[in-house]
Amino acid sequence: MNKKKWIILAAIVVVLGGGGYGGYAYYQSQNTVAEEPPAEEPSFPTAVVDVGEVKKTIFSSGTVEAKAREEVRSESSGKVQKLLVKEGQAVKKGDVLFTVDSMDAQLELQKLELGITRSQKELSELKNKKDRIVSNKAGKVKELLVKEGESVTPDTVVAKLVNTDNLKIVGKFTAFEADQFRVGQPVKVFVTASLYYVDGVVTKVDKIGKKEKGVGGVHDVEVLVKKPGALYAGDIGQVQYTDPKGVLYMSQQATPFELSDEMEILAGTHGKIGKVEIDKEDEVKSGQLLFKMDLTDSELELKDKELSLKEALLNLEQKKREIAKKQVEAPISGVITKLNVKEGETPGSEPVAVIMDTSSVYFVAAVDEMDIPAIKLGQSVDVYLNAFGNKPFKGKVTELPKEGTKEDKSVRFAVKVELSEAADMKHGMTGDCDIYVGQKDNVKRLPLNAVEVMEAGHATVMVKDPSSGEPTPKEIEIGLEGADFVEIVNGLNEGEEVLMMNPEGM
C-alpha cells in the first residue's frame, strides 16, 4: 500500500480501537452497579455501484455578448449634416447612418473631374496626331492658308481647291419654273457663242427666290457641266429643260459660266506644319501629300500628358474616398443601441453610434489555461446567468481563441458558446457555465464522495470485511471522473456496496 492508503486505514483503526477501549473502560467501571445491554456497532452511510452516465465538466464564469458589435466613428472632420437613424432603429449593412458636411470637397471633386476631361482630350489629340496631311479631293490649288511652323487643329482649313474639270452656271427662273427642277436632274445648257448644247446636272435649286431689278422675282437653279475643251469660265449660256409633255423651260437670260465652288482641305490633325509640299496653282489629286507634320516633340509631350493624367486620376480617387468617408454607412446589420451626436454637432472622441446584431448572442467563458486543452468545438454547455437564477441555457462551443489574456498570475482563454435560446438575454449579462468535456453512458459508477482517487486511473474505496464487518480499503481501477460520479472500470461489480468516504461531500 502507498502512504495515503495506510493513513486512511490507520485513521479507521484508531477510530474503531478508541471506541472499543472506551467501551471496555466504561463497562468495567459500571459492572458493580448493574448489567447494561451491549453498545451498538457504529454505522456508516453506504453507496451502491449502479449503471448510468458519467459527465465531466469544466466550470467557468463569463459574460453574454452580442453576435456582433461595432462602434461607428466618423473618419473625416466636420459637422453632421444629416442624421438618418435613431436609437433602437434596425439597420442593414451599407445603410447610410449620417452625412458630414462635404460642400468644399464636392467642389474640389468637380474641378478635378473637369481637369481630367481636359487632359483626356489633350491626350487623345496627341495620340491621333498624323505625320502628314493629304488631300481628299482633286483640283487646282487656289489658296494655301498655312505656312511651315504654324500650328493646326483638325478643323483648320489648310488649302482651298477648285475643280478645273467642271464649270457651273446659274439659270434665272420664275417660281413656277423653279418648281420643275430637282437636284440631280439632267438638263441642257445652250452655249450662245458656239451655238451648241452641253449636258449638265442640277446641283442646287433656290426655292426662296429674290427680287432683282428689271426682272422681278427670280429663283436660281445651279447647274454643273463637264468642261469640254472649248468651254471656258466667262462664256455665256442658257439653262434649258423640256418636261415629259414637251414643255420647254428656259432661263430668263443668258448667264456666264463660272469655276465650280471652292473645296476646303482640312488639316484633320493637331500639330505644327513641318514642310509644305505644294504651291498655288498646282493640280492635286485625291490622296496626294500636301503637308508634312513636325512630330519632334510629340513623344515627350505624350508621355508627359500620360503621367499628368495618371496623377489626376489618383487625386480624383483620393478625393472620392474622402467624400465617401463623409457619408458614413453601417458596417454590420443590427440595431442602433447608442447615438452620441445630433445634426449640426461635430463628432467627438466617443463613437458616433453603436450597432449590435441582436439576432443571436454568445456566452463568452473565461477558461483557465490548465483547462483549455480539454475544450473542443461542438462540446455541450449549460449556462447559468445571474439574472435568471438556476435556469440552465443550452449551448455549444463554437469558437476557440488562438491566444489568451493574462489576469493576475493566470492566463484565461475566451471560449465562445453559442446559445440556442437567447431571446431574453442582453449584452453584458454575467453568469457561469459547465462545459461538458467528457461523457460516458451505461457504465458502472459510484458517487464521487465514495471514492478516494489516488492517481490517474486508480482509487480506493472502503468495503466491509465479510468476516469482521470492519471497513477495509480496496484498490479499484477507475475511468472518467465526473462532477458527481466516477466511472468504475475494474474491482467492483454492479450492486456492490461501499462506505461513503465523505458523506457530506466535504
Side-chain angles (χ1 to χ4, degrees):
M1 295 185 184
N2 59 31
K3 185 177 180 181
K4 191 169 183 179
K5 297 176 184 176
W6 280 112
I7 291 174
I8 295 171
L9 182 59
I12 296 172
V13 171
V14 168
V15 171
L16 294 177
Y21 177 77
Y24 175 74
Y26 178 79
Y27 175 77
Q28 288 291 83
S29 64
Q30 299 294 323
N31 61 358
T32 57
V33 179
E35 187 80 19
E36 291 186 0
E40 294 182 1
E41 295 182 4
S43 62
F44 298 92
T46 61
V48 177
V49 178
D50 66 355
V51 174
E53 66 176 12
V54 178
K55 291 183 177 181
K56 182 177 181 179
T57 62
I58 289 177
F59 175 82
S60 177
S61 60
T63 58
V64 173
E65 292 187 4
K67 183 176 182 180
R69 180 180 183 274
E70 289 286 344
E71 294 182 349
V72 182
R73 301 178 185 273
S74 175
E75 296 184 28
S76 60
S77 60
K79 294 181 179 180
V80 173
Q81 189 176 38
K82 195 168 185 181
L83 189 61
L84 303 172
V85 294
K86 58 185 178 180
E87 285 191 11
Q89 180 177 334
V91 295
K92 294 182 180 179
K93 182 178 179 181
D95 286 352
V96 178
L97 306 179
F98 61 93
T99 60
V100 179
D101 186 11
S102 60
M103 184 63 69
D104 292 341
Q106 290 285 359
L107 290 174
E108 289 181 33
L109 180 66
Q110 290 177 7
K111 289 180 181 178
L112 285 171
E113 289 175 336
L114 287 173
I116 287 173
T117 301
R118 189 179 297 111
S119 295
Q120 288 173 331
K121 181 181 178 182
E122 293 173 354
L123 187 60
S124 177
E125 291 173 353
L126 284 171
K127 288 182 177 180
N128 291 329
K129 273 188 175 181
K130 299 176 182 177
D131 62 352
R132 59 185 61 200
I133 300 174
V134 297
S135 177
N136 59 349
K137 300 177 176 70
K140 180 184 288 188
V141 178
K142 180 180 180 182
E143 190 176 0
L144 286 173
L145 301 174
V146 293
K147 300 177 182 178
E148 292 182 3
E150 290 186 355
S151 296
V152 297
T153 67
D155 295 328
T156 301
V157 179
V158 295
K160 290 183 178 181
L161 306 181
V162 290
N163 189 340
T164 56
D165 293 333
N166 297 295
L167 294 174
K168 73 174 182 178
I169 187 170
V170 178
K172 307 291 184 176
F173 293 89
T174 65
F176 172 76
E177 293 172 333
D179 283 341
Q180 311 307 310
F181 293 91
R182 300 287 183 274
V183 173
Q185 178 179 321
V187 294
K188 296 286 186 180
V189 179
F190 178 71
V191 183
T192 57
S194 304
L195 301 177
Y196 70 92
Y197 289 90
V198 293
D199 293 325
V201 176
V202 176
T203 55
K204 189 184 298 183
V205 178
D206 177 15
K207 296 292 185 180
I208 298 175
K210 58 182 179 292
K211 289 280 189 178
E212 288 188 4
K213 189 175 181 179
V215 180
V218 297
H219 294 256
D220 292 343
V221 176
E222 183 180 289
V223 176
L224 188 68
V225 299
K226 189 77 172 176
K227 180 186 175 184
L231 186 63
Y232 303 95
D235 288 344
I236 304 299
Q238 209 170 14
V239 178
Q240 298 179 9
Y241 167 65
T242 302
D243 68 11
K245 295 180 179 180
V247 179
L248 175 65
Y249 299 95
M250 182 183 299
S251 56
Q252 297 178 7
Q253 60 189 44
T255 52
F257 285 93
E258 304 172 12
L259 291 174
S260 60
D261 291 338
E262 296 174 346
M263 297 175 286
E264 294 181 342
I265 304 298
L266 303 180
T269 187
H270 292 268
K272 289 182 180 180
I273 300 295
K275 186 178 179 181
V276 180
E277 298 288 346
I278 55 172
D279 291 318
K280 189 176 179 180
E281 301 297 325
D282 282 356
E283 289 281 348
V284 299
K285 298 178 180 179
S286 180
Q288 182 176 331
L289 174 64
L290 304 180
F291 305 90
K292 286 184 178 179
M293 303 300 295
D294 182 3
L295 301 179
T296 305
D297 299 327
S298 294
E299 290 186 7
L300 290 176
E301 188 178 1
L302 179 63
K303 289 181 180 179
D304 183 61
K305 291 291 184 184
E306 286 176 338
L307 288 174
S308 296
L309 180 59
K310 286 182 179 178
E311 184 179 3
L313 289 171
L314 287 174
N315 290 336
L316 179 67
E317 185 62 28
Q318 183 178 359
K319 186 57 63 178
K320 284 182 177 180
R321 289 182 181 180
E322 288 180 12
I323 292 175
K325 290 177 182 178
K326 294 180 181 291
Q327 182 170 288
V328 182
E329 299 177 350
I332 61 171
S333 297
V335 175
I336 304 292
T337 59
K338 186 177 291 186
L339 276 177
N340 295 318
V341 74
K342 297 178 181 177
E343 289 185 1
E345 294 182 347
T346 301
S349 58
E350 291 184 330
V352 177
V354 177
I355 303 176
M356 286 190 190
D357 181 356
T358 55
S359 60
S360 65
V361 296
Y362 295 100
F363 183 80
V364 180
V367 178
D368 188 87
E369 62 181 316
M370 300 300 292
D371 295 326
I372 197 66
I375 308 296
K376 301 289 185 292
L377 294 176
Q379 289 174 336
S380 297
V381 184
D382 283 340
V383 175
Y384 300 87
L385 299 178
N386 296 331
F388 297 100
N390 293 326
K391 178 183 177 181
F393 293 90
K394 300 296 182 181
K396 64 179 179 179
V397 176
T398 57
E399 187 176 319
L400 297 175
K402 299 295 183 182
E403 57 182 335
T405 303
K406 191 170 184 179
E407 298 179 7
D408 297 328
K409 295 183 179 180
S410 63
V411 177
R412 295 189 177 278
F413 291 80
V415 174
K416 188 173 287 186
V417 176
E418 185 175 1
L419 299 166
S420 57
E421 180 187 352
D424 297 326
M425 295 185 189
K426 306 297 182 184
H427 179 86
M429 286 184 172
T430 59
D432 50 52
C433 68
D434 290 323
I435 304 174
Y436 292 94
V437 297
Q439 179 174 340
K440 289 188 177 181
D441 298 319
N442 298 318
V443 294
K444 292 184 294 181
R445 65 179 184 176
L446 276 174
L448 183 62
N449 54 3
V451 179
E452 184 71 27
V453 178
M454 310 304 294
E455 58 187 21
H458 296 279
T460 300
V461 295
M462 301 300 294
V463 298
K464 286 185 178 181
D465 188 317
S467 58
S468 65
E470 294 182 354
T472 304
K474 181 178 182 181
E475 290 188 15
I476 61 172
E477 185 179 346
I478 62 174
L480 183 64
E481 300 175 39
D484 300 315
F485 294 93
V486 177
E487 178 191 4
I488 308 300
V489 177
N490 200 6
L492 291 173
N493 296 319
E494 182 182 356
E496 286 195 61
E497 189 177 20
V498 301
L499 302 179
M500 300 288 283
M501 304 293 288
N502 187 1
E504 298 180 1
M506 300 297 293

